[in-house]
Amino acid sequence: MPEHRIDTESAHSARIYDYILGGDDNYPADREAGDAMCREWPALPVHMRANRDFMHRAVRYLAAEAGIRQFLDIGTGIPTPPNLHEIAQAAAPGARVVYVDNDPLVLSLSRGLLSGTPEGRTAYVEADMRDPAAILGAPGFRETLDLSEPVALTVIAIVHFMLDEHDAVGIVRRLLDPLPPGSCLAMSVGTADFAPDEVGRVAREYAARGMPMRLRTLPEAAEFFEGLDLVEPGIAQVHKWRPNRTDGTEKDGVGIRDEDIAMYGAVARKP
């Protein structure tokens, strides 16, 4: 495996996310960027936590209610317990998970993503989501997932870093196309629909650090789910997607204002 150099002098989106969520896998540049962004939009930590909680609820629904036993997670990011495989395997111990990322730091920390249940299995694929063929052809993908059975494709908080020339909708479709009927797509999609000024300022902070963003309207978010059967409640702000839990694992969106959330979320089934 080639040696990767981790650039600690420049801020990185995954490490900013880790810092704002209270993690330790970040560097001064990431902390400076995160602090600057929170000054522009103090609700940013609320927004990021709500997105993480959406992932938890979506995966729990897929494993516990929809019967999905295989997951392909694109743009995994820095391990932050509970990770996707921990949520899925708590509901279905035999669940299999393939994580995909191209960040050298995620690769160096991937041990935390590979300690699943004895009954299940996890694998890590180093690849860029803009190259679906590399993901689908990777040994870790082919040896872990059985494409004769449904797979949940999870694309959480990543496509807002894909500009128009990247064709994010087409890329997600190329990842979904080989998956069999009954497979599902779970996504969160960045938007400025609810706090355009504040979110716009945060986007400018990202762009100033070499991370331009493409935020999407509700109709643009809906393009990712065309031809799929949306699970109720359809496309919603992430804090409003099936928030009514009573086991204390999430804050259920209580007290979260719509203008503090800049992400749409949805789960949809492939017919």
Side-chain angles (χ1 to χ4, degrees), residues 169 189 191 193 214 216-226 235 264:
V169 173
V189 182
T191 184
D193 283 357
R214 171 65 164 88
R216 290 172 170 85
T217 63
L218 179 57
E220 289 172 327
E223 293 177 13
F224 289 99
F225 300 96
E226 288 181 0
I235 303 172
Y264 287 115

Side-chain angles (χ1 to χ4, degrees), residues 103-114:
D103 181 354
L105 183 59
V106 177
L107 175 63
S108 71
L109 297 170
S110 62
R111 182 181 300 274
L113 301 172
L114 302 178

Side-chain angles (χ1 to χ4, degrees), residues 75-164:
T76 295
I78 293 170
T80 304
N83 292 292
L84 188 152
H85 73 278
E86 294 166 313
I87 299 291
Q89 292 176 351
R96 296 184 169 207
V97 178
V98 173
Y99 291 109
V100 179
D101 209 297
N102 67 338
D103 181 354
L105 183 59
V106 177
L107 175 63
S108 71
L109 297 170
S110 62
R111 182 181 300 274
L113 301 172
L114 302 178
S115 55
T117 60
E119 305 95 321
R121 185 171 177 180
T122 62
Y124 181 84
V125 171
E126 184 187 12
D128 192 317
M129 75 171 292
R130 291 171 295 185
D131 187 358
I135 296 170
L136 299 169
F141 174 88
R142 292 185 281 105
E143 294 168 4
T144 306
L145 302 184
D146 176 3
L147 294 188
S148 69
E149 299 291 336
V151 177
L153 172 65
T154 58
V155 187
I156 306 296
I158 188 68
V159 294
H160 52 276
F161 291 114
M162 302 184 70
L163 306 182
D164 287 340

Side-chain angles (χ1 to χ4, degrees), residues 26-48:
N26 48 75
Y27 299 96
D30 309 304
R31 297 190 281 275
E32 180 278 328
D35 289 342
M37 293 168 187
C38 288
R39 285 193 296 271
E40 295 292 351
W41 190 33
L44 186 58
V46 175
H47 156 79
M48 288 186 171

